Amino acid sequence: QVHLVQSGAEVKKPGASVKVSCQASGYTYTSYGISWVRQAPGRGPEWMGWISAFNGNTNYAHKLQGRVFMTTDTSTRTVYMELRSLRSDDTAVYYCARDSGNAVFDYWGQGSTVIVSS
Amino acid sequence: DIQMTQSPSSLSASVGDRVTITCRASQSISNYLNWYQQKSGKAPKLLIYAASSLQSGVPSRFSGSGSGTDFTLTISSLQPEDFATYYCQQSYFFGPGTKVDIK
């Protein structure tokens, strides 16, 4: 059974960084990429970027280039998403999702709330 | 960037109703269109991929159709557990969502 388990909620000050983890189980880890999707309060989902669990290749959303960084650790089957220079409008629930191909997100983590507030 | 629009933005319906939600892309996307259901406080759930393929475990009352720029999600007989927000998605772009609530 596929599971994606994310790290817990975070409260950060503007300008700080946050690193969210997503540990995968129940499938061949290196056969799928992982995308990160965030959702601000009352808003629709917003794709942030994708990482290959096979070789670590990444593709980031244009608006987040230079602030978002995704890494993978095959030994622990964990993907990390770091967002730097946090602003108040980065307050959102952050989800990881398995990409089964062609940006079809078939399994999702439970979400990690990140609050950015002074 | 491709823009995705959905209509209506919200609707009220009764259990047993047939519900149709429309998604339009700003340019042709072939059949690269997925539909998700999201309930309050939960992650989105994949319902339909490649415009018309039913994800494993999703009830058959859900169906999708369309290609090019115009797509439709249909719920043939609305059930109490179907009250939620529905999003279409093409590649890395999500639509604004359609909220389905109880009439």
Side-chain angles (χ1 to χ4, degrees), chain A residues 51-64:
Chain A
I51 183 167
S52 165
F54 175 70
N55 58 16
N57 285 351
T58 55
N59 179 23
Y60 300 139
H62 290 311
K63 69 175 286 189
L64 295 174

Side-chain angles (χ1 to χ4, degrees), chain A residues 24-41:
Chain A
S25 61
Y27 68 95
T28 302
Y29 179 72
T30 53
S31 294
Y32 297 84
I34 293 286
S35 274
W36 287 88
V37 176
R38 70 179 180 177
Q39 192 167 26

Side-chain angles (χ1 to χ4, degrees), chain A residues 39 45 47 95 103 105 108-109, chain B residues 34 36 38 42-44 87 89 92:
Chain A
Q39 192 167 26
W47 177 80
Y95 296 101
F105 306 141
W108 295 65
Chain B
N34 311 314
Y36 298 84
Q38 187 176 32
K42 300 294 186 182
Y87 294 97
Q89 173 234 352
Y92 305 132

Side-chain angles (χ1 to χ4, degrees), chain B residues 2-35:
Chain B
I2 294 174
Q3 304 298 319
M4 308 299 294
T5 58
Q6 287 182 237
S7 61
S9 57
S10 65
L11 66 90
S12 296
S14 301
V15 172
D17 283 354
R18 182 181 182 89
V19 169
T20 299
I21 298 168
T22 297
C23 177
R24 177 165 288 175
S26 59
Q27 63 190 69
S28 178
I29 58 172
S30 184
N31 70 335
Y32 294 106
L33 192 284
N34 311 314
W35 290 97

